[in-house]
Amino acid sequence: MLSAARGLVVAGENSSAGTMIELAGGQNAVRGFTGYKPLTPEAVLAAAPDFILTASHVVAALGGIEALTKHPDLSLTPAGKTGRIIVRDALFLLGFGPRLGEATLDLARALHPTAGLPKLASLP
């Protein structure tokens, strides 16, 4: 995750983002701490994330997805090099409300695009 105001901030264990990643069948690239913490550029490279997951309001504050992909702390990671960036509304993804199943499946599809996961039927 990236925060426009605070620099690079990542979600560790026992965080809503970390939990959502696990529910969607992913594995958090950063471990060994709980909650949300700032991360140094060196630690970002060492984590070598395959995907970057961030909130849509963060991307908007940075000036768009292109600005995010060119961010110096992210551009050299596997996710930055391949453009595997997942942008979602923070409340949808991390709200753990009535749309939890939909959000989990949505993220699972983004993390595992070739898995053939089902699509949810539209609600009336």
Side-chain angles (χ1 to χ4, degrees), residues 63-119:
I65 196 76
E66 189 173 324
L68 179 70
T69 59
K70 291 182 179 180
H71 190 283
D73 294 349
L74 301 176
S75 63
L76 297 177
T77 66
K81 289 178 182 178
T82 59
R84 290 184 298 223
I85 299 172
I86 302 168
V87 181
R88 298 291 186 271
D89 177 78
L91 186 57
F92 172 68
L93 190 64
L94 306 177
F96 287 82
R99 298 190 309 162
L100 175 61
E102 182 183 354
T104 303
L105 184 56
D106 175 72
L107 181 57
R109 273 199 228 100
L111 292 173
H112 311 286
T114 61
L117 294 169
K119 294 187 179 195

Side-chain angles (χ1 to χ4, degrees), residues 12-99:
E13 299 167 22
N14 296 322
S15 67
S16 53
T19 299
M20 183 55 86
I21 291 167
E22 291 175 14
L23 286 173
Q27 186 175 38
N28 199 337
V30 292
R31 299 177 198 203
F33 65 90
T34 59
Y36 295 86
K37 304 256 189 253
L39 203 63
T40 65
E42 296 82 10
V44 173
L45 288 175
D50 292 322
F51 291 89
I52 295 167
L53 176 60
T54 192
S56 54
H57 72 274
V58 171
V59 173
L62 289 170
I65 196 76
E66 189 173 324
L68 179 70
T69 59
K70 291 182 179 180
H71 190 283
D73 294 349
L74 301 176
S75 63
L76 297 177
T77 66
K81 289 178 182 178
T82 59
R84 290 184 298 223
I85 299 172
I86 302 168
V87 181
R88 298 291 186 271
D89 177 78
L91 186 57
F92 172 68
L93 190 64
L94 306 177
F96 287 82
R99 298 190 309 162

